[in-house]
């Protein structure tokens, strides 16, 4: 699994942990090991611009996911790998550590925990999950909680 990460946020972040939780989520979801993912950490100003341009939102948001080759993503062991074994480009996850830190303070956990949650959230969006409808939200957030719990249990060993 190829995961590229770039921290352009100006905030110190444990990028190794962000990579680890992304890799864990992709592995647990049965994503093709040849898949490629990009994670970008940005400042509030750039996240505000992206949110406005791509989502029509006002102000910054915590995470954005930009899927690429949706048709070639291996969603599980029941599906075959892309033709010719070509790596699937899953897409990009964009995180804003400053927004994550504010949300973490409200939620009562660390900024790192919030970034891990947002990373898994972004991965699930790239895999086609959404939370627009109540049933979709229950499924996505339940899966997100299970992936985070299993990742945390592997770290505490």
């Amino acid at each position: 699994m190829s995961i590229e990460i770039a921290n352009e946020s100006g905030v110190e972040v444990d990028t190794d942990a962000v990579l680890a939780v992304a890799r864990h989520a992709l592995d647990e979801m049965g994503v093709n090991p040849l898949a490629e993912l990009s994670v970008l950490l940005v400042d509030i100003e750039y996240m505000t611009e992206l949110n406005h341009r791509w989502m029509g939102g006002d102000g910054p948001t915590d995470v954005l996911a930009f899927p690429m080759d949706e048709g070639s993503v291996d969603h599980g062991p029941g599906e075959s790998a892309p033709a010719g074994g070509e790596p699937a480009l899953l897409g990009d996850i964009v995180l804003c550590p400053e927004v994550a830190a504010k949300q973490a303070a409200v939620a009562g956990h660390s900024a790192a925990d919030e970034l891990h949650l947002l990373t898994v959230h972004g991965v699930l969006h790239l895999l086609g999950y959404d939370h627009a409808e109540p049933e979709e939200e229950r499924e996505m957030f339940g899966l997100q909680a299970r992936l985070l719990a299993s990742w945390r249990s592997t770290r505490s060993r």
Side-chain angles (χ1 to χ4, degrees):
M1 187 107 24
S2 172
I3 303 175
E4 297 290 324
I5 189 163
N7 185 357
E8 299 175 5
S9 69
V11 175
E12 191 170 323
V13 171
D14 181 354
T15 54
D16 289 343
V18 171
L19 285 172
V21 74
R23 180 166 279 114
H24 177 81
L26 293 168
D27 287 346
E28 290 294 308
M29 295 301 294
V31 172
N32 184 321
L34 297 176
E36 298 177 8
L37 169 67
S38 170
V39 180
L40 178 62
L41 296 106
V42 299
D43 61 19
I44 284 181
E45 183 180 328
Y46 191 57
M47 185 57 105
T48 300
E49 181 184 323
L50 289 175
N51 190 32
H52 178 73
R53 184 182 329 151
W54 297 105
M55 306 304 290
D58 289 327
T61 190
D62 49 6
V63 59
L64 290 171
F66 298 99
M68 295 297 191
D69 298 340
E70 287 189 47
S72 65
V73 173
D74 183 357
H75 289 277
E79 294 184 15
S80 59
E86 291 296 314
L89 183 58
L90 293 177
D92 303 318
I93 297 171
V94 183
L95 302 167
C96 185
E98 292 168 277
V99 173
K102 290 176 185 172
Q103 290 177 177
V106 171
H109 55 242
S110 73
D113 284 343
E114 187 73 11
L115 278 174
H116 303 155
L117 180 151
L118 295 172
T119 301
V120 171
H121 190 86
V123 165
L124 291 175
H125 273 307
L126 292 181
L127 296 178
Y129 289 86
D130 201 359
H131 48 84
E133 301 297 324
E135 186 176 313
E136 293 174 333
E137 182 176 333
R138 278 191 299 278
E139 179 186 14
M140 182 176 179
F141 284 53
L143 183 53
Q144 178 178 290
R146 286 192 301 279
L147 289 168
L148 280 168
S150 67
W151 180 69
R152 288 181 181 131
S153 73
T154 64
R155 288 181 53 122
S156 63
R157 288 184 201 156

